[in-house]
């Protein structure tokens, strides 16, 4: 099959996983990794992975299937960075949904879901590994399902959808006057390279990098 992976951020950590996935399947499929919807020429499957662009119907029509990987148990958790919001709220498990892309974001029919547990001590890079492994599993599952002629299932009309807003840099700010134990959950989930936890004190702003010591 002709497969396109669209990840609009070249610095996103998922890229390392996508490159490995592409290399391991190069003998079976023609796979390209793109950064912008202007590069999309068509094919069998378009995977949208950590994609910040809206892919309109005209572009989607160039592919048999345009599939989105979304880290929530849809229709719950539509919107932006759902697994981060959920873990900040105290969730101990994350579900990733594989769905068809539609004009209305995160509303398409579901092909498959994959869940994984997240320990209370897991740092952002550990959560990323669990998330990206689940996403690659779902991509393989998509290839299998499509090859066997399966069809996706519409999202449940019995569940009222919930939505998360887009995160901003201010969402990574912490209050230095709160106990560390209360702040830990927030600090551990912030990417120290792209979205570091930070605080203001004594007229300066400080960022935090958290590592486990064995």
């Amino acid at each position: 099959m002709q497969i396109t992976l669209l990840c609009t951020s070249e610095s996103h950590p998922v890229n390392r996983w996508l490159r490995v996935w592409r290399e391991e399947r190069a003998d079976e499929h023609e796979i390209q990794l793109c950064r912008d919807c202007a590069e999309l020429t068509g094919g069998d499957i378009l995977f949208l992975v950590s994609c910040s662009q809206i892919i309109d119907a005209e572009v989607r029509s160039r592919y048999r299937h345009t599939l989105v990987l979304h880290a929530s148990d849809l229709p719950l958790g539509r919107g932006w960075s759902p697994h981060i919001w959920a873990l900040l709220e105290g969730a101990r498990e994350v579900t990733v949904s594989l769905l068809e892309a539609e004009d209305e974001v995160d509303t398409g029919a579901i092909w498959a879901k994959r869940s994984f547990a997240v320990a209370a001590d897991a740092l952002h890079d550990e959560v990323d590994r669990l998330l990206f492994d689940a996403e690659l599993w779902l991509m393989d599952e998509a290839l299998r399902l499509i090859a066997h002629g399966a069809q996706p299932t519409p999202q449940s009309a019995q569940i009222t959808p919930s939505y998360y807003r887009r995160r901003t840099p201010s969402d990574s700010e912490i209050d230095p006057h709160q106990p560390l134990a209360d702040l830990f959950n927030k600090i551990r989930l912030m990417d120290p390279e792209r979205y570091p936890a930070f605080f203001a004190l004594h007229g300066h702003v400080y960022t935090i990098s958290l590592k486990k010591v064995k």
Side-chain angles (χ1 to χ4, degrees):
M1 286 192 283
Q2 289 184 310
I3 301 170
T4 300
L5 314 175
L6 179 60
C7 177
T8 51
S9 171
E10 195 164 357
S11 64
H12 198 289
V14 76
N15 281 290
R16 183 158 61 91
W17 271 257
L18 295 179
R19 292 188 184 99
V20 170
W21 189 86
R22 178 182 59 182
E23 291 169 4
E24 291 179 346
R25 288 148 190 81
D27 291 339
E28 303 175 65
H29 306 285
E30 180 182 332
I31 305 172
Q32 61 175 334
L33 176 59
C34 297
R35 300 294 177 204
D36 190 278
C37 63
E39 303 174 53
L40 304 179
T41 57
D44 294 302
I45 301 175
L46 169 61
F47 284 110
L48 306 180
V49 189
S50 299
C51 175
S52 62
Q53 296 177 333
I54 301 298
I55 308 303
D56 62 27
E58 191 282 320
V59 175
R60 298 197 306 269
S61 70
R62 303 172 194 170
Y63 296 86
R64 288 171 55 203
H65 298 283
T66 298
L67 305 180
V68 182
L69 290 156
H70 186 77
S72 81
D73 190 5
L74 292 170
L76 301 176
R78 292 175 180 173
W80 303 92
S81 306
H83 72 292
I84 297 297
W85 286 118
L87 292 171
L88 287 171
E89 293 167 354
R92 298 294 295 271
E93 182 179 85
V94 170
T95 297
V96 185
S97 299
L98 175 73
L99 66 151
E100 285 278 345
E102 298 289 351
D103 287 338
E104 192 174 348
V105 176
D106 301 331
T107 61
I110 304 295
W111 281 91
K113 295 183 179 183
R114 179 83 163 178
S115 298
F116 57 90
V118 178
D121 66 341
L123 303 186
H124 77 98
D125 55 334
E126 297 171 301
V127 176
D128 279 353
R129 285 196 292 271
L130 294 168
L131 173 61
F132 302 155
D133 285 346
E135 290 182 337
L136 296 194
W137 185 92
L138 285 168
M139 290 163 63
D140 282 332
E141 182 71 355
L143 301 186
R144 187 188 69 81
L145 290 170
I146 290 170
H148 285 80
Q151 295 296 320
T153 302
Q155 293 187 32
S156 174
Q158 308 302 315
I159 301 174
T160 302
S162 61
Y163 296 84
Y164 288 118
R165 63 172 175 82
R166 185 194 290 266
R167 291 182 62 78
T168 67
S170 64
D171 291 311
S172 296
E173 183 173 11
I174 65 170
D175 182 353
H177 302 292
Q178 291 186 14
L180 179 58
D182 295 342
L183 298 170
F184 177 77
N185 192 49
K186 186 172 184 178
I187 295 172
R188 74 178 178 113
L189 297 171
M190 301 300 103
D191 184 331
E193 298 297 327
R194 299 187 304 144
Y195 308 107
F198 70 93
F199 62 94
L201 192 66
H202 304 312
H204 298 280
V205 174
Y206 303 87
T207 61
I208 301 173
S209 179
L210 191 64
K211 296 181 179 180
K212 286 181 178 176
V213 178
K214 294 184 179 180

